[in-house]
Amino acid sequence: MKTSLPFKYIVSVKRDKYYVVFDFKDDNGKRQRRWVGTGLPVKCTKKALNEKVDELVTKFYEDYCSGEATKPREK
């Protein structure tokens, strides 16, 4: 996505897998992080990784706009 987003994200490696880490504020104003697995190993192609990241960012953006992602989680 080329537009500015209301949240930030990075791609990180954990246990030889790629993850997308979303950084956003919930409805209470607290900073939250959500790790979403791509299911791709470290040795995958950049093209496959970029396609999967774009797919996950689009899905998270839809959840963020609908309010599903920003609901505070109960313990």
Side-chain angles (χ1 to χ4, degrees), residues 2-56:
K2 301 285 181 185
T3 62
S4 80
L5 299 170
F7 54 86
K8 297 184 191 265
Y9 68 93
I10 61 168
V11 178
S12 183
V13 176
K14 184 177 181 182
R15 295 188 202 116
D16 293 330
K17 300 262 185 191
Y18 279 111
Y19 289 83
V20 181
V21 183
F22 295 101
D23 189 20
F24 61 97
K25 291 194 177 188
D26 65 6
D27 291 337
N28 293 334
K30 291 192 172 190
R31 188 175 134 243
Q32 300 290 322
R33 282 196 176 157
R34 184 157 307 155
W35 288 67
V36 180
T38 62
L40 297 173
V42 174
K43 294 184 178 184
C44 71
T45 63
K46 273 189 171 181
K47 183 178 179 181
L49 178 63
N50 289 337
E51 288 174 357
K52 189 67 172 178
V53 168
D54 287 343
E55 176 186 324
L56 291 173

Side-chain angles (χ1 to χ4, degrees), residues 26 28 32 34 70-75:
D26 65 6
N28 293 334
Q32 300 290 322
R34 184 157 307 155
T70 59
K71 288 182 184 174
R73 293 184 178 179
E74 293 182 18
K75 293 183 178 181

